[in-house]
Every structure is written in C-alpha cells, then in structure tokens.
Amino acid sequence: MRRENVEDGQASIYQSVITNTSKEMSCFSDFPMPEHFPNFLHNSKLLEYFRIFAKKFDLLKYIQFQTTVLSVKKHPDFSSSGQWEVVTESNGKEQRAVFDAIMVCSGHHILPHIPLESFPGIERFKGQYFHSRQYKHPEGFEGKHILVIGIGNSASDIAVELSKKAAQVFISTRHGSWVMGRISEDGYPWDVIFHTRFSSMFRNVLPRTIVKQMMDQQMNRWFSHENYGLEPQNKYLMKEPVVNDDLPSRILYGAIKVKSRVKELTETSAIFEDGTVEENIDIIVFATGYTFSFPFLEESFVKVEENMVSLYKCVFPPHLEKSTFACIGLIQPLGSIFPTVELQARWVTRVFKGEFGKSQSQILQTNYIDYLDELASEIGVKPHFLSFLLKDPKLAMKLYFGPCNSYQYRLVGPGQWEGARHAILTQKQRILKPLKTRALQESANFPVSFLLKILGLLAVVVAIFSRLQWF
C-alpha cells in the first residue's frame, strides 16, 4: 500500500500515480478486472484489484508481511539438491529456512540513482534537492522555481503536477523522449490499439526504414516533438515512451519549459549545455532512475555491471549449476508489466518442477508480443492462430486484430482457463462500461473497421499459403 513516509528498502510512489497501461492489458490472465473499473487506474484502485485477486484465490495465507529477507545463500549440498538457505527477520527475530527454489520479485525501483558527479557545482547549490522517489504530493512547493532533471514517466508526472502550484517548472533532458497520451484511436486506450498481433506482424516484416517513418508520423500525430523541444536524440531507438496526457499542454502555455542538459550549477542558478541560464532555482528534483540492487544475495549470483543484468531470457542466471533461482520482473517492456511477469512466473515454476529444461531457442526479441509469445511457447500456452481460424473464426479475429492481452495465454495448454474465450470476446464491453455514463441513441454506421480486418485477414491467409508453396 502507498505510505506517506518513504521507507528504506521499499518502493515508493506519489499520491497521484495512475497506471500507464489499461486494465484490459494489465490484469491477470484468469481474472479480469471488474467491469466498472476505469480503464486507467489510480494506484488505490490497482491495490483494490490485488486485494480482490488475493481473496479470490486465498493467497494471503501464503504471504509473510512485515518480513525482511536478510540473505539468500546456496545450501551446502546445492550441487546435488539445488536448495537455498534463506534468513529472514520479522519483529526483531531472525528465522532460517531451506527452500527448493527461489524467485526474486523485488523489482528495480528501490535504490535511487543520483549521479551527482555529473552535476558540477551541486555542492554550492543553496536550494533543496532530492530524488523523485522522495516526492509524494505538490503541497509545500507553491511559488517555487523548480528544476526537474529527467524525462521519464515520473519526471513528466511530477513536473506536470508541480506546475499547477509552482511559479515555474523546468525539465532538463539530455536525449529527449517521445510523449504519447493514454487515449488512442476512437478514444480507446493506447495499448489496446498498439499491441495487436496484426500490427506487431507489420512492424516485424516491413523494412526498417518504413517502420521508422511510420513511427515518426505516429508519434508526431498529436504534436510536433521538435517544436516542443522533446524530439529524442535517437528518435528511432525503441525506448519506452513517456505516457502523459498533460505535458504538451503545460508546455504550450509556459508552465513547463524544456531545457537541455545541465552543464553546471551555481548557488542559485542552473547553466545549461546550450549556454542558457535559469536564475533563482529553489528546488531540484532528480528523476534519474534507479540502480539494480540485491543486498540479500552474494554478488556472484546476479551480476550487475553498468546497471545491466545478465539473465537468460531476462529470468535465469546462466551460470548456476541448478535452475532453481529466477529473477522476475527485471525487464522494461513496452507494455504492461503484469502479463509479462505472470508468464515469466508460469514458465519458471514449470522449470522448477523439472517438467522441462531451459531451451536454447532464438535470441530474445525486444518486441513486447514477441517476448510474451516466446515465454508462452516455452510453457505450451501460445495460441495457434490457424488452428482457431478453422474451428473458431470469431475468436481468431479477436486474437489477431484485437489487443494481445493476458487472456490469450489461457486458451490452451497448462493452466487453461475455461473463461478465457469469454473474457476475450467481452473485453470491448469492459473497456466501454465505465465510459457509458450517459445514454445515447445508437447509430447504424457501417463498421468500416470490420471490413479492413477482413481484408487484412485475407492478406495474412494469402501470405501463409504462398509460403507453404515453397515447401
């Protein structure tokens, strides 16, 4: 739960945090979020979903709250047993236990990264400075001149919120970033439109130059990033974009000003790389990310070099003799983290049970759907489009042209859920339910989008049969 005080060793969020991914793309694969929930959730609403989920599956009895893991070490006979010794502390008392396998799910938003050495003069600065992890709410920042360093989601959220109270907010960015809103075509959530197998297929098969041009046009459809000083230095690098509905408008009327990299700080001012100076800076917020940290592990287990972790398929340390240790969630997908970590966990538990070993399949793809499909293939839960096209065409259309959400990975194989098909076919209803607060007379417009899907489906079938002729 969100706390007012920032605690060491714990993740921290500010009061106004809202999810960047929609409810239909973020729920667990066998438990859709309640129909009346809004499409993007305030953090308190997401917590409510977790509590409903835990109650539904009676999970609380398996969770030890207020317990700190002090150390995780190999058992003396690890080479044969693969077991681990774990030392925990609760209410001042230490306990030791032996486990057959370990999953580290602590995430990577705990240890703040503030590269003070990159900001000459910070020791002379007389104002206040802190990491974005310390930020909770805008009260107390009234009338201040505030410099936010960074251009990620936290930096943008905090800058927008502070700009409603402060005299002036500046955002300093070295490389810029794409900025997109939560609302996409026809008012649907962005990820419902973006993450479809159909669009993913096009991004994978089209020449890279064309994909770059399409991405440039798509990202600049809302506003020109160049005009707003936000265009990424390497605009074709598939870096996670910022999702913020208000940042462009706050820039448009001057509440936020975008600046280049900070070159130097004085007692009261910031000197930027382009030679400009902003005087009377009261507060600096370092939204400069986090450092990977596993204080309970021996350094050799999970090696962190230059803030990078070497893991097989972003999960298993490759050098361990036994595959009984896994890291969950050490990945930054261009999409919701929840379906990603769920599939990671489903795969890992089957490896732990010895039902199959780690395959040496293709190199990990960076595409969100490719990664989900790769994990799903390892488990045997990836849906086969052609199979469904023959026996259930209606569902096949939803699988290929609709959002690729977690329900798709409950249709077949281990952990199959009988409600998966219904959840897929009714996802539009759950998206629109919280929006339909005013009754309107239904129009009888011809569904052009349906015709386009039919044409797209025919194109896919033709392509498949053309390829089969070569065999």
Side-chain angles (χ1 to χ4, degrees), residues 193-206:
I193 302 297
F194 186 82
H195 289 304
T196 70
R197 294 183 182 279
F198 181 67
S199 58
S200 179
M201 179 271 294
F202 268 104
R203 288 191 293 269
N204 286 338
V205 301
L206 289 177

Side-chain angles (χ1 to χ4, degrees), residues 5-18:
N5 298 319
V6 179
E7 299 181 11
D8 290 338
Q10 300 290 327
S12 177
I13 60 172
Y14 36 98
Q15 288 182 354
S16 58
V17 168
I18 296 174

Side-chain angles (χ1 to χ4, degrees), residues 43-56:
N43 61 82
S44 60
K45 211 69 175 175
L46 183 60
L47 177 60
E48 182 181 344
Y49 171 69
F50 289 152
R51 285 173 169 162
I52 296 171
F53 182 84
K55 184 177 181 180
K56 166 73 175 179

Side-chain angles (χ1 to χ4, degrees), residues 69-334:
V69 176
L70 299 179
S71 68
V72 176
K73 297 181 179 180
K74 290 180 179 178
H75 193 271
D77 65 350
F78 178 82
S79 57
S80 59
S81 69
Q83 292 182 320
W84 300 84
E85 288 186 345
V86 179
V87 179
T88 59
E89 181 184 22
S90 180
N91 297 322
K93 295 182 180 179
E94 289 190 10
Q95 288 187 323
R96 296 176 181 271
V98 175
F99 292 91
D100 295 321
I102 298 290
M103 282 195 285
V104 175
C105 311
S106 54
H108 55 278
H109 293 112
I110 295 176
L111 187 64
H113 173 62
I114 307 183
L116 294 180
E117 67 281 357
S118 300
F119 298 90
I122 186 68
E123 70 283 352
R124 302 197 304 268
F125 181 63
K126 290 186 175 181
Q128 178 188 4
Y129 67 86
F130 56 89
H131 191 270
S132 57
R133 181 175 179 270
Q134 302 294 124
Y135 178 77
K136 287 294 185 180
H137 48 71
E139 282 69 32
F141 294 89
E142 294 85 354
K144 303 293 185 181
H145 289 76
I146 303 170
L147 171 61
V148 178
I149 296 177
I151 192 62
N153 283 298
S154 294
S156 301
D157 282 352
I158 292 171
V160 165
E161 188 166 77
L162 287 177
S163 70
K164 300 172 184 178
K165 297 277 188 177
Q168 183 64 60
V169 173
F170 305 95
I171 285 185
S172 168
T173 172
R174 290 181 300 170
H175 304 301
S177 179
W178 294 122
V179 178
M180 56 189 292
R182 291 178 174 84
I183 301 174
S184 187
E185 296 173 17
D186 296 327
Y188 283 94
W190 74 269
D191 49 358
V192 168
I193 302 297
F194 186 82
H195 289 304
T196 70
R197 294 183 182 279
F198 181 67
S199 58
S200 179
M201 179 271 294
F202 268 104
R203 288 191 293 269
N204 286 338
V205 301
L206 289 177
R208 185 164 178 78
T209 54
I210 295 179
V211 173
K212 288 178 179 179
Q213 292 174 2
M214 291 173 60
M215 184 175 70
D216 188 286
Q217 292 177 357
Q218 181 68 30
M219 289 298 179
N220 282 304
R221 183 177 297 177
W222 185 19
F223 69 96
S224 168
H225 285 66
E226 181 181 2
N227 290 346
Y228 281 60
L230 291 169
E231 186 174 69
Q233 188 174 26
N234 185 350
K235 60 182 181 179
Y236 299 126
L237 183 66
M238 276 304 289
K239 179 180 177 292
E240 181 189 18
V242 169
V243 180
N244 194 291
D245 303 299
D246 301 317
L247 181 60
S249 63
R250 305 303 292 183
I251 295 173
L252 189 63
Y253 51 83
I256 295 175
K257 294 182 180 180
V258 181
K259 306 293 293 185
S260 59
R261 183 181 68 87
V262 173
K263 182 180 179 181
E264 185 181 356
L265 294 167
T266 70
E267 292 181 348
T268 59
S269 63
I271 304 170
F272 297 93
E273 196 171 42
D274 59 6
T276 59
V277 179
E278 295 296 344
E279 305 283 356
N280 303 317
I281 301 295
D282 299 302
I283 297 169
I284 300 176
V285 181
F286 286 94
T288 45
Y290 293 82
T291 300
F292 290 119
S293 176
F294 307 96
F296 47 85
L297 296 177
E298 293 181 7
E299 188 175 342
S300 59
F301 291 171
V302 180
K303 295 181 180 179
V304 181
E305 297 178 353
E306 297 183 359
N307 212 31
M308 297 290 289
V309 183
S310 177
L311 297 169
Y312 176 72
K313 294 191 188 298
C314 301
V315 175
F316 286 102
H319 59 281
L320 289 177
E321 312 95 288
K322 297 286 185 178
S323 299
T324 57
F325 183 98
C327 293
I328 304 296
L330 289 184
I331 188 171
Q332 194 74 38
L334 183 60

Side-chain angles (χ1 to χ4, degrees), residues 419-433:
R421 182 181 186 275
H422 178 75
I424 293 170
L425 296 180
T426 57
Q427 55 196 350
K428 181 178 179 180
Q429 173 184 322
R430 287 188 300 279
I431 292 172
L432 297 179
K433 175 68 174 180

